[in-house]
Structures are given as structure tokens and as C-alpha cells.
Amino acid sequence: MNSKYSKIEYEAGACFGSCPIFKITINPDRTAVLEAEHFNFSKGFSKGEFDKPREGTFKGIIKETDYNKLITLLDNLNVKSLNEKYGERNVTDLPTSHLRINFADGTSKQVEDYGKRGTEKLAELYKFFEDLRHNQQWTKVN
């Protein structure tokens, strides 16, 4: 594994409605951890969802084709040149995403995006992460 990314992490926060709340961490060997809080697997919105326990922690191995697509998406973003923060704070009730990238050279980059629409390429990356919750094989570990 000769990746320039030593750890890739995406976290999606809460919004006023039923935005999925989760964090996914992916390593260069394609092993991944999905920490699912709420609204990841349920259909429809219920305020009672917040009273339920978190959905759980899951482990999996990202399919090679999907991992390669992720690397391409990141490479096309030129991660190190991204802003630290995106989003229009005058609008309320939107979800915030956090993209944290650790590079093999020891550097790292964090991007906070209120509303998840920082750039078109970032929005595409977020959708990719959100799709991973459903198009990979996950095993619940707790």
C-alpha cells in the first residue's frame, strides 16, 4: 500500500431534521470503521430517534474499486489547497461536515463545511462517503 493518505475521515453532523449522523474512518489498507449515531438506516423522520441508542460501530473493508474512486476524488480536490471552513452561517439548521485527511508525509488537513456545499467537488465527495454506508459490507462490532 503506497498511499499518500495515511488516514481519511469524514464526519457528518446533525441538522434540524433527519440528516444522518455518522463518522467513517478509512485506512490505506482499505479497512474502515463506521460509527453510526442516528438516521443512517431508518427511513423517515421521528424526533424519538434521538431517544434511541446510537446505531452502533461497524467495521468493513472498502471495495478496491470504491477505494480507488475515493483516492481519485481526493486527488482531484487538491486537498491541501482547500479552505479550512466553508458555509454560510446566516442560514440555520444545516448539517456540518468535517473532512480530516492525514497524509503519509506527516501533515494533515481539516475542512469544516457548514451546509456540505463548500465546492462542487466537495459535495461529490460527501455523497460518496454517504453512499459508502449502504454500498459496502459492514459488520456490527458494538
Side-chain angles (χ1 to χ4, degrees):
M1 295 288 153
N2 193 3
S3 175
K4 64 177 142 185
Y5 307 103
S6 60
K7 184 167 82 172
I8 301 164
E9 189 177 280
Y10 174 76
E11 185 172 356
C15 68
F16 190 68
S18 59
C19 301
I21 306 167
F22 69 98
K23 181 165 89 175
I24 189 166
T25 306
I26 302 172
N27 301 301
D29 62 0
R30 301 193 341 262
T31 58
V33 175
L34 169 62
E35 296 171 60
E37 297 297 326
H38 296 286
F39 306 113
N40 286 286
F41 309 112
S42 54
K43 297 282 183 242
F45 173 66
S46 151
K47 284 202 183 302
E49 180 79 19
F50 287 111
D51 298 329
K52 294 179 187 169
R54 62 188 292 278
E55 292 165 334
T57 300
F58 301 80
K59 289 192 171 175
I61 297 174
I62 303 300
K63 296 172 192 161
E64 191 169 2
T65 53
D66 290 323
Y67 183 80
N68 292 340
K69 180 172 183 197
L70 171 60
I71 297 306
T72 300
L73 287 169
L74 288 172
D75 287 349
N76 289 341
L77 267 175
N78 196 359
V79 175
K80 289 186 180 186
S81 70
L82 292 170
N83 296 346
E84 302 280 318
K85 288 192 187 300
Y86 291 93
E88 177 53 64
R89 291 284 171 188
N90 297 341
V91 181
T92 58
D93 305 333
L94 295 176
T96 299
S97 67
H98 297 272
L99 178 65
R100 299 178 190 98
I101 307 291
N102 292 353
F103 296 93
D105 65 8
T107 62
S108 64
K109 179 73 174 196
Q110 290 196 40
V111 177
E112 178 183 300
D113 190 344
Y114 179 70
K116 299 194 206 178
R117 290 189 296 263
T119 70
E120 206 173 299
K121 286 182 177 179
L122 275 172
E124 185 183 357
L125 178 67
Y126 304 153
K127 180 179 183 334
F128 179 84
F129 277 113
E130 299 199 359
D131 289 347
L132 286 178
R133 294 171 304 141
H134 304 293
N135 64 18
Q136 304 297 304
Q137 200 158 6
W138 298 101
T139 303
K140 190 168 184 176
V141 291
N142 69 16

